[in-house]
Amino acid sequence: MPGKRGAFLNYTEAAMLAAVNDVRLHKTPIRTAAKKFGVPKITLTNKVKGKSPMERKMGPISILTPEEEHKICDWVQKNGKSGFPVTTEQLIVSVDKYLKEIKRPCVLFKHGRPGRTWVKAFIRRNPTISKRISQNLTASRAKVTGDHLSEWYKRVYKELEDSVQA
């Protein structure tokens, strides 16, 4: 009988690790361990036999390292704080330029540059940033005084100083 529809990855990595250890150490049958820990029997079998890795990272390997993604995420946040939110196209172009500068081949990207699905996955992997829809400029937001502008320039100058010192 096939598994339940929509029951994809309904177990924790800790449960899978405990099930694998139970099978290996206590010589528990795979079927019993799968029921006891609530993990799929075929997945448990593959992990015990070494056919699949213990971590459940799925899909192709990431083009950028976690450190590189963290730097890009920081860049997006700093631009947003400075009043220059990064658009999807700017993010794509920036990542494309970065990959060309470090001369890393990107065979996973169509035409060698990230697409909109990569951007969606990037936002999902980095929950501190979010995609927002622009709003119309109201009359109250359009009223900008000289004090507002000088405060804005001070904030931008401080952000630039902080980024140079870092």
Side-chain angles (χ1 to χ4, degrees):
M1 183 167 127
K4 292 180 185 175
R5 191 174 180 101
F8 187 67
L9 292 180
N10 281 343
Y11 61 91
T12 62
E13 287 189 52
M16 181 59 74
L17 186 62
V20 169
N21 288 337
D22 198 38
V23 170
R24 287 183 179 161
L25 297 176
H26 301 19
K27 305 293 186 218
T28 307
I30 290 177
R31 182 177 295 196
T32 308
K35 282 185 181 179
K36 180 179 173 183
F37 294 99
V39 297
K41 183 178 74 92
I42 189 66
T43 307
L44 179 59
T45 303
N46 288 338
K47 292 192 186 291
V48 167
K49 291 183 178 181
K51 290 183 179 178
S52 63
M54 284 304 297
E55 68 274 353
R56 64 179 190 192
K57 187 167 173 94
M58 296 169 41
I61 58 168
S62 180
I63 294 294
L64 300 171
T65 64
E67 295 81 23
E68 291 169 337
E69 281 205 3
H70 183 71
K71 284 181 183 178
I72 291 171
C73 188
D74 286 344
W75 171 74
V76 169
Q77 289 174 337
K78 283 181 182 179
N79 279 351
K81 284 180 186 175
S82 299
F84 297 105
V86 177
T87 64
T88 302
E89 188 61 28
Q90 286 173 332
L91 180 62
I92 289 171
V93 169
S94 299
V95 170
D96 183 37
K97 279 185 178 180
Y98 175 74
L99 290 172
K100 285 180 181 174
E101 280 180 18
I102 62 173
K103 296 182 175 94
R104 185 177 301 160
C106 356
V107 294
L108 296 178
F109 293 149
K110 191 175 194 179
H111 304 298
R113 80 184 270 194
R116 297 198 185 275
T117 54
W118 178 86
V119 173
K120 286 180 186 176
F122 176 77
I123 292 172
R124 189 175 58 242
R125 286 190 302 268
N126 298 289
T128 57
I129 59 174
S130 62
K131 192 172 183 180
R132 297 187 183 175
I133 299 172
S134 63
Q135 299 174 347
N136 290 335
L137 190 62
T138 61
S140 62
R141 288 181 64 204
K143 293 180 184 175
V144 179
T145 64
D147 294 337
H148 288 98
L149 286 175
S150 63
E151 284 297 317
W152 181 83
Y153 277 112
K154 286 177 186 175
R155 279 198 324 262
V156 170
Y157 186 75
K158 186 176 182 325
E159 286 289 328
L160 289 172
E161 280 183 335
D162 291 345
S163 67
V164 168
Q165 291 174 358

